[in-house]
Amino acid sequence: MSHEAVWSIGELAERAGATVKTVRFYSDRGLLPEASRSGGGHRRYGPEALERLRLIRSLRALDLPLPEVRRVVEDEDAAGRVLEDAVAGRLRELGGELRALRWREAALRLVRECPPAQRAERLRLLGAVSTPPSTAPLVRFWRAWLPPRTPARAAAAFLEVAVPQPPDEPDPAQVLAFAHLHALTTAPCPPGRQPQPDVHRVAGAGGAALLYAGLAEAYELAGPHLRRGREPYAGEALDAYVAAYASAYGGRDTRDFRRVLAERLGAQPRLDRYWELAAVVWTPPGGPPEPTPGSADDWLRAALERDNARAA
């Protein structure tokens, strides 16, 4: 290699637009190839080191961690794939960081915009929730609510529709609603009260799978009626609703069964507050309220009562 193509650490730093400290940092970690050593033992670098340094600085400018940078520059044969994996991983991390920042921003706006008398309570609620929030407490709440030994597939399907996922870009109202949901689902259950309603527990583990699959179908059928603001009425959605309970109990959809079912449903504890809060979390800012399993169940119960009254 010619003398003109060999540079000291300072000359390499100047050509790359970097500091001597930066060059020494990467060189000490074995990331910059040395062309030779001077008589006094000082490092000398060639064009390969300059290209390597420029690549390293570009990768670091993308905020890739040093181990990923090392994999890219040292594995020439797989450099393309390694870089793609590293960038994809960093994009996932940044997505999570941005999501957390949006939740913090909405939480700060919530505190700033609320009346001073409410700030202490809101800070208490927000302080109990991670950022971005976790749905684990809600999942634990519903797993305790479900009948024992509910089949895993049935439980997973129910949790998918019962647990609202925190939006990526929440407004302050959604942040407050999720904080209230967290408080609601982590509060101790009152002594002597079973979390799951009797009308569901008596169906047993086998009947639970039939019940929740049928209820999910009925709620889906009721959804368009709720979005259009239609009054409850006897139709396909109600038939699916009653059939879910009938199949769970090994019975048939008869007029007597509908009357008994309405009585049992009317005697059960309700979770209205949960579904009200979930609706806020589910509904996009400025959009119409989204149907929830709770609002669909209310609509179907009302349809059942009207149907029973009409047949009386």
Side-chain angles (χ1 to χ4, degrees):
M1 182 177 292
S2 67
H3 176 73
E4 290 76 17
V6 179
W7 310 304
S8 68
I9 192 169
E11 291 169 333
L12 176 61
E14 182 178 0
R15 286 174 178 271
T19 65
V20 171
K21 182 179 179 181
T22 296
V23 176
R24 184 173 289 113
F25 175 84
Y26 293 125
S27 187
D28 288 345
R29 281 153 182 78
L31 292 175
L32 295 179
E34 297 178 16
S36 62
R37 291 263 179 165
S38 69
H42 297 293
R43 297 163 177 162
R44 293 290 183 262
Y45 302 93
E48 183 182 355
L50 178 60
E51 292 303 315
R52 174 74 64 84
L53 180 57
R54 286 171 174 166
L55 174 59
I56 291 171
R57 296 188 71 205
S58 297
L59 295 172
R60 293 293 285 162
L62 295 174
D63 205 24
L64 293 183
L66 197 59
E68 298 298 332
V69 171
R70 180 183 295 278
R71 291 179 61 208
V72 172
V73 300
E74 290 185 349
D75 192 347
E76 295 182 0
D77 293 335
R81 175 183 55 77
V82 172
L83 178 58
E84 288 179 8
D85 291 345
V87 170
R90 187 58 188 139
L91 282 173
R92 287 192 297 270
E93 293 173 4
L94 282 175
E97 293 169 11
L98 288 171
R99 188 163 172 256
L101 286 173
R102 294 187 189 107
W103 272 84
R104 291 194 185 106
E105 179 188 25
L108 288 169
R109 288 169 54 200
L110 175 66
V111 174
R112 182 189 64 185
E113 295 166 5
C114 77
Q118 297 179 11
R119 284 179 182 162
E121 173 64 13
R122 290 194 175 179
L123 286 170
R124 183 189 65 81
L125 285 168
L126 294 171
V129 182
S130 61
T131 305
S134 169
T135 59
L138 281 66
V139 171
R140 286 193 295 269
F141 171 83
W142 283 113
R143 287 197 180 278
W145 185 90
L146 289 168
R149 298 181 298 281
T150 298
R153 182 176 297 180
F158 177 84
L159 291 171
E160 186 174 350
V161 298
V163 176
Q165 296 300 313
D168 290 338
E169 299 185 21
D171 66 4
Q174 290 173 310
V175 170
L176 181 60
F178 200 95
H180 277 298
L181 276 175
H182 181 276
L184 177 67
T185 54
T186 55
C189 186
R193 195 186 87 186
Q194 293 291 335
Q196 62 270 16
D198 289 337
V199 73
H200 288 192
R201 287 193 294 117
V202 296
L210 295 172
L211 175 60
Y212 295 124
L215 289 179
E217 179 186 356
Y219 295 158
E220 185 175 355
L221 291 171
H225 302 307
L226 273 79
R227 292 187 181 93
R228 291 196 293 266
R230 186 169 185 179
E231 290 294 315
Y233 76 103
E236 184 182 10
L238 178 59
D239 290 343
Y241 185 68
V242 175
Y245 282 101
S247 62
Y249 289 105
R252 294 183 302 108
D253 179 2
T254 64
R255 180 52 55 192
D256 286 342
F257 181 83
R258 291 194 174 207
R259 283 194 291 268
V260 172
L261 178 61
E263 292 173 2
R264 288 183 176 179
L265 291 172
Q268 299 305 309
R270 298 172 62 83
L271 296 171
D272 292 341
R273 179 60 174 158
Y274 180 95
W275 297 118
E276 290 169 2
L277 294 167
V280 176
V281 177
W282 266 314
T283 302
E290 278 294 307
T292 68
S295 61
D297 197 81
D298 287 343
W299 191 92
L300 290 162
R301 286 193 193 191
L304 178 61
E305 292 171 359
R306 288 189 178 189
D307 183 56
N308 284 338
R310 179 190 57 79

